[in-house]
Amino acid sequence: MLKEIQQVLRLLMLLRKQRVQQGLKSAGGLLVLLWTGPGPADQNCSVAGAGPWCSGIKTETLQPVLTELHQKLSPCAGPFPEPDPEELCAFADLHGSLRVLLSFQVRGQFSAERRAHLEAFLHRFSLANTEVKIYLSFKSDEEICQRVFSVTIKSRLLLKGQPPLTLDVTCKKQPPVCVGRGAWCQGGHPVFGARLPLSIPPEAMDHGLYGELSLQLVTLLSPCVLQYPNLATHLAHIQVLVYNPSNVPVLGPSAFLHQLPARLDCEELGLQGLRYSSCTDLVDSCGTVYTVEHGNYAEPQQERSPAPVQQGLSLFLFLQHSDPFTSQLSDVMATEELLEHHLEAILNNNRRAVTEALQAELKNTLKAQSQRSKDQEKLNSAFEVMLSSAMSIITSSSNMNFRTACLDSMKVRGTHELPASLHGSLRRVSSWKFTPRSRCFSAQVEKTPDSREPSSNEI
């Protein structure tokens, strides 16, 4: 089912890419409808597109491509399945008349596992295609489930020679209780990395893959804590997301990425190690996920220090391909399929270059984290001096009223409880020190109780 839906999305995104290059709007809606037919084995899927990104598409121009695609999706002879008109009308009421509609039969049952994989795939698709609002609907005789993938905050990135790229940078983590309302950066800040040329291996050329191939790297660290320089952080995981040239997620696990932790120099990155994790380890995660191991990390004592903010690093890998001898829509789709089929061979053929590029991007991103930790170590050393001085003054004082007032103000019963209370107070005051940054302020979103749709800003 994922393979078929990926094919339909590939067609729609290639059409969208042509419209963006022509300077036309690329926003709109995408509906993925799963539904059961009269028989228990009749499992069907419909994908529809509407809105500005599909306007101007002529059905007669698309018909040959749609017919060829439909034959691949539903090779069995018979009438095409048709979805419920009411479902399509509700979608059209939101985004205008349908421009593209493709329905096909699905092999196998709509199990909970298959639906979870589809949700993860669409979530991953929405991360790099924020201008398209995605609706997923599942209908059967027993249940009706619906989910909407929309974006609160997006960042617009300009790729050289490519249509603009919009990423979902919404921070879903709640700020610590100490952070005041409106003072927490609600969106991350993606960073452009290197654009790495890739050589095509001979076996891929033998099957017809030619042209120029490259890999664009983009990193995103979330949540952003630039406004709180003294707030302790902990990098919990790194996820790698791979997209094909039409900006659709690449399917299937990658053996190259699975073995990547063994090739990276974790000591240079300031990490004890990376451990490959399955997608189910993290909520809404997809792609390749690594759990970060820290040799010198220890959980803070609750009474002395607040818990560090858990951060995640997303590394986007955007494949880019150009071939002047491939211009027809059907040929471009076939070329992308061929590229994905030989992707593992391509990555292994460029193993050293890809590994060095990923190492450099991770090092550059984590460099600020390392400096942040060093600054906090200096602050901790100052804490010890202040704590020792304060304890010396209080315990050495012969003024009982002064000592009692100090103990009462720190809400402790004796001097043996005073060090922990003083340390906690110093930590709270320093960790939550706020430093205004215009870059972060532009990413903030104020929500009102009566707002129906999430607002979005470009950062």
Side-chain angles (χ1 to χ4, degrees), residues 1 106-119:
M1 177 175 63
V106 177
R107 300 179 183 90
Q109 299 293 323
F110 293 144
S111 64
E113 182 180 2
R114 295 183 73 186
R115 286 161 53 186
H117 283 214
L118 176 58
E119 288 188 6

Side-chain angles (χ1 to χ4, degrees), residues 42-247:
D42 296 337
Q43 312 294 321
N44 307 310
C45 179
S46 292
V47 181
W53 74 316
C54 296
S55 61
I57 296 177
K58 298 180 180 180
T59 307
E60 56 271 18
T61 304
L62 279 181
Q63 194 57 48
V65 181
L66 291 176
T67 301
E68 182 181 351
L69 180 58
H70 199 288
Q71 290 175 351
K72 291 182 179 180
L73 300 180
S74 299
C76 301
F80 295 163
E82 293 295 337
D84 184 0
E86 294 185 0
E87 187 79 18
L88 298 179
C89 289
F91 175 66
D93 290 341
L94 294 173
H95 295 281
S97 59
L98 301 184
R99 299 295 179 176
V100 178
L101 174 62
L102 187 62
S103 300
F104 52 90
Q105 292 183 339
V106 177
R107 300 179 183 90
Q109 299 293 323
F110 293 144
S111 64
E113 182 180 2
R114 295 183 73 186
R115 286 161 53 186
H117 283 214
L118 176 58
E119 288 188 6
F121 174 77
L122 293 178
H123 167 71
R124 182 177 170 187
F125 176 79
S126 69
L127 292 179
N129 298 278
T130 60
E131 295 182 348
V132 179
K133 195 169 185 177
I134 305 172
Y135 303 83
L136 174 62
S137 180
F138 170 78
K139 286 191 174 184
S140 67
D141 295 335
E142 299 178 353
E143 61 176 327
I144 298 177
C145 299
Q146 294 181 336
R147 183 174 178 183
V148 179
F149 299 88
S150 60
V151 177
T152 303
I153 301 176
K154 60 186 177 182
S155 179
R156 185 181 179 89
L157 305 176
L158 297 178
L159 298 174
K160 185 177 181 181
Q162 298 289 330
L165 175 69
T166 57
L167 293 181
D168 181 3
V169 296
T170 308
C171 176
K172 298 179 175 60
K173 285 186 176 293
Q174 295 297 322
V177 294
C178 58
V179 176
R181 184 178 182 275
W184 182 256
C185 182
Q186 299 290 335
H189 310 290
V191 178
F192 261 119
R195 186 169 181 263
L196 177 67
L198 300 176
S199 61
I200 301 177
E203 58 268 27
M205 290 185 180
D206 292 340
H207 287 85
L209 183 60
Y210 301 100
E212 295 183 358
L213 182 63
S214 62
L215 191 64
Q216 176 65 59
L217 308 181
V218 179
T219 56
L220 175 63
L221 185 65
S222 181
C224 167
V225 291
L226 293 176
Q227 295 170 284
Y228 293 87
N230 299 327
L231 190 63
T233 60
H234 173 63
L235 183 62
H237 68 272
I238 299 174
Q239 65 173 346
V240 181
L241 309 169
V242 185
Y243 293 81
N244 61 30
S246 60
N247 221 27

Side-chain angles (χ1 to χ4, degrees), residues 402-420:
F402 170 74
R403 296 179 62 182
T404 301
C406 291
L407 296 177
D408 291 342
S409 63
M410 299 304 299
K411 298 180 180 179
V412 294
R413 292 171 296 182
T415 55
H416 63 284
E417 297 179 357
L418 191 57

Side-chain angles (χ1 to χ4, degrees), residues 388-440:
S388 176
S389 300
M391 285 297 301
S392 177
I393 293 174
I394 296 174
T395 57
S396 301
S397 176
S398 59
N399 189 328
M400 293 300 298
N401 292 333
F402 170 74
R403 296 179 62 182
T404 301
C406 291
L407 296 177
D408 291 342
S409 63
M410 299 304 299
K411 298 180 180 179
V412 294
R413 292 171 296 182
T415 55
H416 63 284
E417 297 179 357
L418 191 57
S421 180
L422 284 173
H423 189 280
S425 297
L426 288 172
R427 174 63 64 180
R428 284 192 296 272
V429 171
S430 62
S431 296
W432 307 332
K433 181 181 179 182
F434 179 74
T435 303
R437 290 175 180 265
S438 59
R439 186 185 182 192
C440 297

Side-chain angles (χ1 to χ4, degrees), residues 178 280 285 389 450 457:
C178 58
T280 56
S285 68
S389 300
D450 57 346
N457 296 328

